[in-house]
Amino acid sequence: MDKLPSFGRSIDEVLLPTFGAYEDLLKAKEEDIRSVRRETHSYGPNPRHVLDVYFPDTQPATPKTVLVFLHGGGFFAGARVNEAYVGGLIFTNIGRYFTSKFGVTVIVPDYRLIAHGAKYPSGGEDIKFVLDWVKESLARREGYESINVVLLGNSAGGVHVTTFLLDPAFEAAREDLITEGGEGVGVRLRGAICLGTPFHWGDANDETLRAYLGEGKVFENSPIGKIQSAIKQGAASRLPNVKMLIMISELDPQLLFDTAEEFKQIWQGGDIEIQTLKGHNHISPQLGLSTGIEREEAWGVQVAEFLRSCTAN
């Protein structure tokens, strides 16, 4: 972590040096990270719809807390397992950390990227498919009859989380998971975390943003664009009543701080907290878990505290 400030703040410039800085730390914990129990399942109609489930060593009493982690990658990159880096320990390290430290079941899905035909709101659709799988498959397992779900989206993954939370296309699916009773009984959406998430992109209008969000719709389909649309249409009262945590790394680009504050101010009725991850940059939080280093893993404790606050009642 001490090396991170010298890498800068731009995501492009910190990417490779940050991966390099954490390689030996993760390799030193490889045996422990790989000891986590993992199952792989299909969760939807597209070949990309594959998820890993990480289970705690000792199952806690019901209800179970399930953390769904959506990786980043700018809509065009990323996978649930990065085979090219330290033998695929990413994102198994996240599964190992939360299962072993806090007894939380962790789901890490692949979702459609631009190369697979992804186009807004496909990220929200893929989250819905994951949550359908939780209801139809995981909830039928012994001990998982009652499940509290929290979504954790990193960067572009956080944009997909907000799509599911804010786009009217998913209103019925959200209500089914938030309201007790009905078809979704036993599986409740309790909270959402956006880690290093842009809530809009300022003046940026590059090819990747246009390819995913749509020509002329980069702002309209941004998280702030969707919340403004709901308010303008008088639909703010129908937005989901779930706790939300926005986590920004101390060395993240300034745009992420600015747009997070803007998002919180606009969604006046939202239960939103913003926290800063000390010492981290845009890439390092996901790499720091399961290193056994207290400073690196401090943000994981913050997440665990949020999970407890979401499921306290």
Side-chain angles (χ1 to χ4, degrees):
M1 180 179 284
D2 292 337
K3 299 178 181 178
L4 299 182
S6 67
F7 299 159
R9 288 179 176 269
S10 164
I11 296 172
D12 288 340
E13 67 184 1
V14 306
L15 181 63
L16 293 180
T18 304
F19 273 105
Y22 283 82
E23 187 169 359
D24 288 341
L25 297 178
L26 288 163
K27 284 181 177 178
K29 297 293 183 178
E30 180 173 3
E31 183 176 356
D32 179 69
I33 293 171
R34 293 197 188 281
S35 70
V36 65
R37 178 187 162 203
R38 178 176 73 178
E39 294 181 5
T40 301
H41 298 272
S42 296
Y43 71 88
N46 191 283
R48 180 73 174 177
H49 288 152
V50 178
L51 57 78
D52 288 333
V53 190
Y54 297 92
F55 294 95
D57 298 332
T58 303
Q59 289 289 346
T62 58
K64 298 292 192 298
T65 299
V66 173
L67 180 66
V68 180
F69 176 80
L70 285 299
H71 64 76
F75 307 120
F76 67 89
R80 74 186 195 283
V81 177
N82 185 344
E83 296 289 359
Y85 180 67
V86 289
L89 293 182
I90 304 296
F91 296 99
T92 303
N93 66 314
I94 291 179
R96 176 58 177 165
Y97 178 79
F98 287 106
T99 58
S100 64
K101 300 289 187 182
F102 304 106
V104 172
T105 301
V106 179
I107 296 175
V108 183
D110 280 331
Y111 56 82
R112 286 170 290 174
L113 306 175
I114 290 172
H116 312 111
K119 196 170 185 64
Y120 186 91
S122 65
E125 292 169 350
D126 290 350
I127 290 176
K128 179 184 181 299
F129 284 134
V130 171
L131 296 175
D132 286 345
W133 181 89
V134 171
K135 290 190 295 181
E136 296 164 6
S137 182
L138 186 61
R140 295 184 180 182
R141 293 194 179 205
E142 183 177 356
Y144 282 87
E145 297 85 358
S146 181
I147 296 174
N148 292 317
V149 176
V150 175
L151 304 173
L152 167 53
N154 176 215
S155 197
V159 175
H160 297 325
V161 167
T162 65
T163 298
F164 181 77
L165 292 179
L166 301 175
D167 196 290
F170 308 108
E171 183 176 352
R174 292 192 299 264
E175 284 301 309
D176 186 45
L177 289 158
I178 294 170
T179 306
E180 288 186 313
E183 185 180 349
V185 66
V187 178
R188 299 285 305 281
L189 178 62
R190 293 289 195 170
I193 305 169
C194 290
L195 169 63
T197 299
F199 291 88
H200 68 71
W201 290 269
D203 295 330
N205 189 34
D206 59 50
E207 182 179 354
T208 298
L209 292 176
R210 296 196 306 273
Y212 179 72
L213 295 164
E215 289 287 345
K217 295 187 175 182
V218 170
F219 182 82
E220 177 183 334
N221 287 331
S222 71
I224 285 181
K226 300 312 291 187
I227 196 78
Q228 287 183 338
S229 176
I231 292 170
K232 184 177 181 180
Q233 295 174 21
S237 63
R238 299 205 301 272
L239 293 174
N241 182 26
V242 296
K243 291 173 69 70
M244 189 170 185
L245 174 62
I246 299 173
M247 308 186 87
I248 311 167
S249 293
E250 185 178 10
L251 301 173
D252 255 326
Q254 186 61 40
L255 177 71
L256 301 192
F257 290 89
D258 295 342
T259 62
E261 289 289 350
E262 187 178 353
F263 182 81
K264 183 178 180 179
Q265 289 301 316
I266 293 172
W267 194 355
Q268 289 289 328
D271 185 355
I272 302 172
E273 180 182 1
I274 299 176
Q275 295 181 4
T276 300
L277 311 189
K278 293 183 179 180
H280 278 292
N281 67 20
H282 194 73
I283 306 300
S284 62
Q286 59 196 333
L287 306 179
L289 295 186
S290 292
T291 60
I293 300 170
E294 185 176 357
R295 287 193 305 160
E296 300 288 355
E297 297 181 335
W299 79 276
V301 177
Q302 292 171 247
V303 169
E305 291 172 351
F306 178 74
L307 297 181
R308 284 192 288 266
S309 75
C310 288
T311 59
N313 50 46

